Amino acid sequence: LRTVSFCDKDSPQDNGVQTNQYSSISPPASPVAQEEPFSTYFEDKVAIPENVNQVFSFRKLWAFTGPGFLMSIAYLDPGNIESDLQSGAKAGFKLLWVLLVATIIGLLLQRLAARLGVVTGMHLAEVCNRQYPTVPRVILWLMVELAIIGSDMQEVIGCAIALNLLSVGRIPLWAGVLITITDTFVFLFLDKYGLRKLEAFFGFLITVMALSFGYEYVLVKPDQGELLKGMFLPYCAGCGPVQLEQAVGIVGAVIMPHNIYLHSALVKSRDIDRKNKKEVKEANKYYFIESTIALFISFLINVFVVAVFAEAFYNKTNMEVHEFCNKTGSPHSGLFPQDNNTLEVDIYKGGVVLGCVFGPAALYIWAIGILAAGQSSTMTGTYSGQFVMEGFLNLRWSRFARVLLTRSIAITPTLLVAIFQDVQHLTGMNDFLNVLQSMQLPFALIPILTFTSLTSIMNDFANGLVWKISGGVVILVVCAINMYFVVVYVTALNSVLLYVLAAIFSIAYLCFVGYLVWHCLVALGVSCLDFGSRVSNRPAVFIEEPYEYDS
């Protein structure tokens, strides 16, 4: 399909008709001519019930249910769980409102990702491959891969920590990493038995997380009044730099770059006639409802974790926890120094502390929840890697080869960490990985706003003025918050050499982000910047109508 424009006299000519440089990717009118993009996730698409004329149909919602829950797993990965427990231990209930706001922002961004996949029939990596020039496209792919590697390392290490806790230390960290990588290969091929069975398996893992962390919540019995106050009162009384950094960390942990690419691909698993505007509109509606339900459940699970550590361990000192562990005869009491410094916990220490205070059952149930979180998120992370690689590089490899390559990219650094790092001292690595993912966030948020704002790509479903402005503001705020997190981390390194290297890297980084922002502003309608950009959002006339309207 070609888009023709009646604007620039310098636009390329085609039989006397001017054409826009930024070509439309709407489906061709003939279904025979349309070739479905090669995919790693689905071979058979889920059929949508027909002849259902109600405004809302539970049958149709059930048919669309699946992609949103797989997407929501990124909001429950071990990095998020660690951020939750640290938030509770350092700030009590005071930062729950930050978690709520971050989840709502995440929902709005996921809505853009789902709409791109539904309307165009291609996921974000495929659209980037078609629309950006070669050099920016390769840089963008490398940045997204870095984000996936960082996330995958946290997820695999989280599984390994859970296995270590469940085996009472008998399974070392490196062995847990190998077990996780092996069983991920097995689970990834579950979709060979049917897409719905795979989605049901992910639903089972989310249920395990809800039951595990819900058990801890019931056991600890948090103060419900303080919980509601912290969730709906956007204020943090008596908070300082520690709590501010934790609030920034919550936003960085919740909104993850690779998840935007993942969700835009997962929605392609439903059988939608994209030439029919009514079907596309309906799909967007049901996907948004499904995503809202999925993220609400993930939010509740995150609240469980924050509340447990806020009630039981807020303002506790290392000495107090050490005494608790000594009284119960825990072999892990040596983890906590005998001083009056505020308790600092991570996933591993969090499980130990729960076991000391509430008994061994609390530790093992915690570990089961972490294992479910890590196993599910490392699977969806692998899918993200496959989508990104096939989209940016246009790969046409066998399914096994692509899974093997995607897993191999993250296995080397993860194994090195597991071999040379002690399970008790992983907090510094997690901080570094959070910073790494924060830096990659613009490389998902800016492209998704760019492409969903272009009528040449989205047709009637392009972002309106309100969405353009609000989306731009949200992305600006989220990126600024994450950049603050990066600056705080770098300034704490206390090394002149590292400062110089960070400055050089920052210049190159900001130049590339500026390039993406330029394209985005042109897409948002700032026509005065449209000099040589491949992006254009001028009014277009389609040679063939992209939709078949019902009478």
Side-chain angles (χ1 to χ4, degrees):
L1 182 68
R2 187 171 69 253
T3 307
V4 295
S5 170
F6 302 100
C7 296
D8 258 335
K9 64 180 181 180
D10 298 324
S11 298
Q13 304 289 325
D14 183 11
N15 295 328
V17 180
Q18 292 173 315
T19 59
N20 193 337
Q21 287 180 313
Y22 201 79
S23 61
S24 169
I25 53 174
S26 301
S30 170
V32 178
Q34 182 177 355
E35 181 181 352
E36 187 66 31
F38 193 58
S39 172
T40 56
Y41 172 62
F42 34 77
E43 294 177 358
D44 298 322
K45 294 192 175 183
V46 176
I48 307 301
E50 297 180 1
N51 301 321
V52 180
N53 297 319
Q54 305 101 298
V55 176
F56 177 81
S57 165
F58 281 103
R59 284 182 60 209
K60 284 197 173 183
L61 178 61
W62 177 249
F64 282 104
T65 297
F69 281 88
L70 268 68
M71 167 274 295
S72 72
I73 284 170
Y75 292 73
L76 295 168
D77 71 349
N80 272 285
I81 301 301
E82 181 159 316
S83 174
D84 292 337
L85 64 89
Q86 288 177 347
S87 171
K90 293 178 180 179
F93 298 99
K94 299 175 185 177
L95 295 179
L96 277 173
W97 65 272
V98 178
L99 177 62
L100 175 62
V101 171
T103 305
I104 293 172
I105 292 174
L107 173 63
L108 298 178
L109 294 171
Q110 298 299 158
R111 174 185 180 271
L112 295 181
R115 285 172 71 87
L116 181 72
V118 170
V119 174
T120 67
M122 291 190 292
H123 55 74
L124 181 56
E126 291 173 314
V127 178
C128 289
N129 182 39
R130 292 196 176 201
Q131 307 302 345
Y132 285 123
T134 303
V135 174
R137 183 170 70 240
V138 171
I139 296 173
L140 195 60
W141 168 64
L142 291 174
M143 294 298 101
V144 177
E145 284 291 352
L146 278 176
I148 293 173
I149 290 171
S151 175
D152 200 42
M153 288 179 68
Q154 286 181 311
E155 293 153 0
V156 173
I157 292 292
C159 281
I161 289 173
L163 291 171
N164 183 273
L165 287 171
L166 288 171
S167 66
V168 198
R170 293 187 180 88
I171 300 179
L173 203 60
W174 62 267
V177 168
L178 291 177
I179 291 171
T180 303
I181 291 171
T182 303
D183 63 27
T184 299
F185 269 111
V186 175
F187 290 139
L188 278 171
F189 287 92
L190 281 176
D191 62 349
K192 287 294 183 185
Y193 296 97
L195 181 60
R196 298 298 268 175
K197 290 185 176 63
L198 176 71
E199 292 172 346
F201 177 69
F202 279 99
F204 167 74
L205 293 176
I206 293 174
T207 304
V208 170
M209 284 183 262
L211 292 175
S212 298
F213 300 131
Y215 169 84
E216 310 286 355
Y217 182 86
V218 172
L219 184 68
V220 175
K221 299 176 182 176
D223 186 321
Q224 300 302 305
E226 287 297 313
L227 186 148
L228 292 174
K229 180 181 175 182
M231 188 179 299
F232 297 108
L233 185 63
Y235 182 68
C236 191
C239 292
V242 172
Q243 287 75 23
L244 178 60
E245 289 177 27
Q246 191 58 49
V248 173
I250 290 172
V251 177
V254 167
I255 304 172
M256 306 183 74
H258 72 276
N259 210 34
I260 304 294
Y261 288 86
L262 174 69
H263 198 196
S264 66
L266 294 176
V267 296
K268 294 167 55 181
S269 59
R270 268 50 182 177
D271 189 11
I272 303 165
D273 181 6
R274 292 189 299 108
K275 298 185 298 300
N276 187 319
K277 184 178 180 180
K278 182 180 177 182
E279 284 196 24
V280 173
K281 186 176 181 179
E282 184 180 68
N284 285 329
K285 178 182 76 173
Y286 282 107
Y287 274 135
F288 182 65
I289 295 172
E290 185 234 4
S291 297
T292 303
I293 296 171
L295 288 188
F296 176 72
I297 293 172
S298 72
F299 172 71
L300 287 181
I301 295 173
N302 282 313
V303 168
F304 289 161
V305 179
V306 174
V308 165
F309 283 84
E311 181 69 29
F313 306 113
Y314 177 49
N315 277 338
K316 290 290 190 296
T317 64
N318 287 321
M319 178 67 76
E320 289 175 295
V321 176
H322 181 86
E323 291 175 358
F324 271 126
C325 290
N326 266 341
K327 287 179 182 177
T328 57
S330 170
H332 303 290
S333 58
L335 277 177
F336 309 101
Q338 300 182 53
D339 56 41
N340 288 318
N341 293 332
T342 304
L343 175 68
E344 290 191 9
V345 286
D346 52 27
I347 290 177
Y348 180 76
K349 291 179 182 176
V352 170
V353 169
L354 287 171
C356 289
V357 179
F358 299 104
L363 184 152
Y364 292 125
I365 292 173
W366 168 263
I368 290 170
I370 296 297
L371 183 62
Q375 188 63 70
S376 58
S377 55
T378 195
M379 290 169 64
T380 55
T382 302
Y383 278 126
S384 299
Q386 292 179 65
F387 291 135
V388 165
M389 195 167 291
E390 76 176 25
F392 277 109
L393 304 184
N394 200 28
L395 289 181
R396 293 296 182 267
W397 294 2
S398 70
R399 175 180 171 79
F400 179 78
R402 282 174 291 162
V403 174
L404 182 63
L405 176 61
T406 306
R407 298 304 299 152
S408 299
I409 288 176
I411 188 174
T412 303
T414 307
L415 269 178
L416 289 174
V417 168
I419 291 171
F420 295 106
Q421 278 276 21
D422 192 287
V423 69
Q424 303 171 9
H425 304 93
L426 291 172
T427 303
M429 183 204 74
N430 281 322
D431 290 342
F432 171 76
L433 293 176
N434 285 334
V435 169
L436 178 66
Q437 291 177 83
S438 295
M439 294 185 67
Q440 312 312 317
L441 204 52
F443 306 128
L445 304 190
I446 296 174
I448 196 64
L449 181 62
T450 300
F451 298 132
T452 54
S453 298
L454 285 165
T455 51
S456 56
I457 289 179
M458 300 292 289
N459 301 299
D460 295 341
F461 295 95
N463 295 330
L465 181 61
V466 173
W467 266 99
K468 289 178 181 179
I469 295 174
S470 58
V473 170
V474 164
I475 289 174
L476 180 64
V477 170
V478 169
C479 290
I481 288 173
N482 282 282
M483 288 305 102
Y484 172 82
F485 188 36
V486 173
V487 169
V488 167
Y489 180 82
V490 171
T491 52
L493 296 176
N494 295 321
S495 170
V496 176
L497 177 60
L498 292 176
Y499 290 159
V500 173
L501 291 175
I504 295 172
F505 178 77
S506 297
I507 293 172
Y509 175 85
L510 291 174
C511 286
F512 186 58
V513 171
Y515 172 85
L516 296 178
V517 169
W518 167 50
H519 277 264
C520 186
L521 289 174
V522 173
L524 293 176
V526 186
S527 56
C528 60
L529 296 177
D530 190 7
F531 44 90
S533 170
R534 296 182 64 214
V535 175
S536 178
N537 205 14
R538 304 185 185 97
V541 177
F542 293 93
I543 291 177
E544 290 177 310
E545 284 295 331
Y547 303 114
E548 295 173 356
Y549 294 92
D550 293 337
S551 57

